[in-house]
Amino acid sequence: MLFKQQALLRQKLFVLGSLAIGSLLYLVARVGSLDRLQPLCPIDGRFGPRGQDEIPLRALQFKRGLLHEFRKGNATKEQIRLHNLVQQLPKAIIIGVRKGGTRALLEMLNLHPAVVKASQEIHFFDNDENYAKGIEWYRKKMPFSYPHQITIEKSPAYFITEEVPERIYKMNSSIKLLIIVREPTTRAISDYTQVLEGKERKNKTYYKFEKLAIDSNTCEVNTKYKAVRTSIYTKHLERWLKYFPIEQFHIVDGDRLITEPLPELQLVEKFLNLPPRISQYNLYFNVTRGFYCLRFNIVFNKCLAGSKGRIHPEVDTSVITKLRKFFHPFNQKFYQITGRTFNWP
């Protein structure tokens, strides 16, 4: 009797074990499949009702699987032709500003299934050597995409480089231009902080921010300091307006993108004439990192590099006050030109 009970128990354990192993193998296969296909969101309803402007399913299927292989150079010409993939010139460029949140904006826009990003800063229009290589060299630096998708690149140096507006105009006079800005003094300190970190990594000494931002001879703001000049947004924008109407620019609030990204991304979707696809599901606050990270699906999440969100050094309050007073008239003019007002001091 005992022997029969033991045999029955072993049989039950064998069946349960087989089921468990089978389930585990199914989950592994399923996760592997999701990782290859990388759909933006497994729950279709999160993106609202379907419409005529819906992004084709194949774009969702291949965006982070097949396209990733093509970017690595692992695809044959036949595969590229078969899937109707092309390397397109950008239809929109994030032109600046440095330390305004350009990388965060690019990565967040990449959540949209109709957007394909250039992973690296190309520096085509602001670098004479690269520009001399011609527009086809630039095109070949772009990722593979479907014809209906929008390619976007970002190079923050474009905004402040004098030759760039004319060069971009010659490529595409109707291109859409994105500028992401932060409160000018905060941006200048962030700019300084990045340079400071690089100096410290190389065991080099560097001046304090106060010494660079304030002219010791006049005790006034040092406009020769690049971090200060970059924050005079209106001066640079006026140069761009010689070539492009203001309607081709969209100003993104970099400070709000940190604390409340979704409304800013929805404004960009509208500016780019994209169907609304980015939702709160795609953005989650990471308490440890202190800012929002990205959720592409139930498997694939992404946070920005650890170098983002550097701790700023303490700056003398009198210097901060002087800088804010200096930037104030330029800010007012920037509000007037762009039609967007910020709560900057």
Side-chain angles (χ1 to χ4, degrees):
M1 182 70 177
L2 180 61
F3 177 79
K4 287 183 178 180
Q5 290 177 339
Q6 290 176 338
L8 184 61
L9 179 61
R10 282 197 297 271
Q11 186 177 9
K12 288 181 178 180
L13 289 173
F14 176 79
V15 172
L16 289 172
S18 299
L19 289 172
I21 292 172
S23 299
L24 181 60
L25 289 173
Y26 171 79
L27 286 172
V28 170
R30 180 61 176 160
V31 169
S33 173
L34 284 171
D35 188 55
R36 287 192 301 275
L37 299 180
Q38 295 293 348
L40 185 69
C41 177
I43 303 174
D44 183 69
R46 291 187 187 275
F47 295 109
R50 294 173 177 265
Q52 293 181 347
D53 58 0
E54 179 178 319
I55 304 302
L57 178 61
R58 62 178 181 172
L60 303 182
Q61 293 173 329
F62 286 101
K63 187 174 181 187
R64 303 184 197 289
L66 189 60
L67 292 184
H68 178 65
E69 292 300 311
F70 291 163
R71 280 195 286 270
K72 293 193 300 183
N74 294 342
T76 65
K77 290 183 179 179
E78 178 60 23
Q79 285 176 313
I80 294 172
R81 185 195 65 77
L82 181 64
H83 295 291
N84 197 29
L85 292 166
V86 291
Q87 286 175 294
Q88 303 183 80
L89 290 173
K91 294 179 182 176
I93 301 179
I94 301 172
I95 59 174
V97 298
R98 172 182 163 95
K99 304 314 298 173
T102 57
R103 172 57 61 182
L105 177 60
L106 183 68
E107 296 293 344
M108 288 178 178
L109 288 178
N110 193 49
L111 288 164
H112 199 292
V115 172
V116 179
K117 70 179 177 69
S119 298
Q120 303 298 321
E121 292 180 10
I122 310 300
H123 289 287
F124 177 64
F125 298 102
D126 66 309
N127 184 297
D128 291 340
E129 185 177 339
N130 287 342
Y131 190 68
K133 295 175 183 176
I135 202 71
E136 283 307 307
W137 177 88
Y138 181 55
R139 186 195 301 273
K140 289 177 181 178
K141 291 293 181 181
M142 295 300 132
F144 284 97
S145 62
Y146 294 104
H148 71 272
Q149 292 177 311
I150 293 177
T151 296
I152 296 181
E153 77 124 323
K154 74 102 174 174
S155 293
Y158 288 168
F159 186 59
I160 64 170
T161 305
E162 290 188 11
E163 299 83 4
V164 171
E166 182 179 5
R167 289 175 175 179
I168 292 182
Y169 180 83
K170 287 179 178 179
M171 179 191 73
N172 182 358
S173 61
S174 61
I175 197 165
K176 292 181 180 291
L177 302 165
L178 293 163
I179 305 172
I180 179 168
V181 294
R182 297 188 67 192
E183 190 277 314
T185 301
T186 302
R187 195 222 63 83
I189 296 172
S190 180
D191 196 325
Y192 166 84
T193 304
Q194 178 171 294
V195 175
L196 176 65
E197 184 181 273
K199 296 288 185 181
E200 290 177 338
R201 236 184 354 252
K202 298 175 183 177
N203 292 319
K204 293 184 177 180
T205 57
Y206 197 55
Y207 292 114
K208 292 185 68 175
F209 176 79
E210 291 88 340
K211 185 173 179 62
L212 294 169
I214 304 299
D215 187 320
S216 58
N217 294 321
T218 63
C219 291
E220 297 299 327
V221 172
N222 179 16
T223 55
K224 294 181 180 180
Y225 179 36
K226 187 176 180 180
V228 169
R229 290 203 315 273
T230 300
S231 285
I232 308 175
Y233 305 138
T234 185
K235 289 290 186 183
H236 305 292
L237 182 58
E238 285 173 345
R239 184 170 58 250
W240 284 85
L241 290 173
K242 294 176 183 178
Y243 295 91
F244 300 97
I246 194 63
E247 292 77 20
Q248 283 177 232
F249 295 88
H250 178 71
I251 310 301
V252 179
D253 186 341
D255 295 308
R256 192 184 184 201
L257 193 73
I258 296 171
T259 60
E260 195 179 2
L262 184 58
E264 286 299 315
L265 295 173
Q266 290 172 334
L267 289 174
V268 177
E269 284 180 321
K270 185 176 180 180
F271 172 70
L272 297 177
N273 296 320
L274 293 171
R277 290 293 183 270
I278 302 174
S279 71
Q280 196 61 58
Y281 169 79
N282 301 118
L283 303 159
Y284 68 95
F285 188 76
N286 186 308
V287 177
T288 304
R289 302 294 294 277
F291 49 78
Y292 280 85
C293 294
L294 316 179
R295 180 187 290 116
F296 292 88
N297 53 48
I298 59 174
V299 175
F300 184 60
N301 298 338
K302 179 177 182 179
C303 285
L304 297 178
S307 60
K308 304 301 178 184
R310 296 179 181 90
I311 298 175
H312 292 181
E314 289 189 15
V315 177
D316 189 288
T317 54
S318 65
V319 171
I320 291 176
T321 300
K322 187 181 287 287
L323 282 168
R324 287 176 172 172
K325 184 177 180 180
F326 169 80
F327 287 126
H328 182 74
F330 296 111
N331 295 342
Q332 296 301 311
K333 192 171 184 179
F334 186 69
Y335 302 160
Q336 184 180 5
I337 292 174
T338 62
R340 182 153 195 189
T341 303
F342 300 95
N343 295 320
W344 295 339

